[in-house]
Amino acid sequence: MRCPCVFVYRWRRTLAGAGGSEQRQRQSRRTLMLKFIGGTAGVIFIIGLIVVIALFKLLF
């Protein structure tokens, strides 16, 4: 049996009409941008954590 979400998605897609592909493209770009920002923030956090640990090792 299929998930009911599939039917809702099809219904919304038919209501969107031709503009649906444009909206999907914007959503895809937004997702890529958020993944990039999240990955960059994660790398900066890891580097900062390593620096703080190194400073504590030097102090104590």
Side-chain angles (χ1 to χ4, degrees), residues 9 13 17 19-29:
Y9 176 72
R13 191 173 58 189
S21 62
E22 183 180 313
Q23 183 180 7
R24 210 171 317 129
Q25 190 177 20
R26 269 189 279 136
Q27 186 72 21
S28 175
R29 280 188 277 166

Side-chain angles (χ1 to χ4, degrees), residues 1 7 12 14 16 22 24 26 29 32 39 42 44 52 58:
M1 184 169 175
F7 299 114
R12 288 181 62 190
T14 54
E22 183 180 313
R24 210 171 317 129
R26 269 189 279 136
R29 280 188 277 166
L32 285 173
I44 291 171
V52 168
L58 286 175

Side-chain angles (χ1 to χ4, degrees), residues 3-54:
C3 173
C5 307
V6 175
F7 299 114
V8 172
Y9 176 72
R10 284 184 186 168
W11 176 69
R12 288 181 62 190
R13 191 173 58 189
T14 54
L15 282 180
S21 62
E22 183 180 313
Q23 183 180 7
R24 210 171 317 129
Q25 190 177 20
R26 269 189 279 136
Q27 186 72 21
S28 175
R29 280 188 277 166
R30 183 180 300 157
T31 303
L32 285 173
M33 181 185 67
L34 288 175
K35 282 183 180 180
F36 174 75
I37 291 173
T40 305
V43 168
I44 291 171
F45 175 77
I46 297 289
I47 291 172
L49 190 63
I50 291 170
V51 168
V52 168
I53 290 172

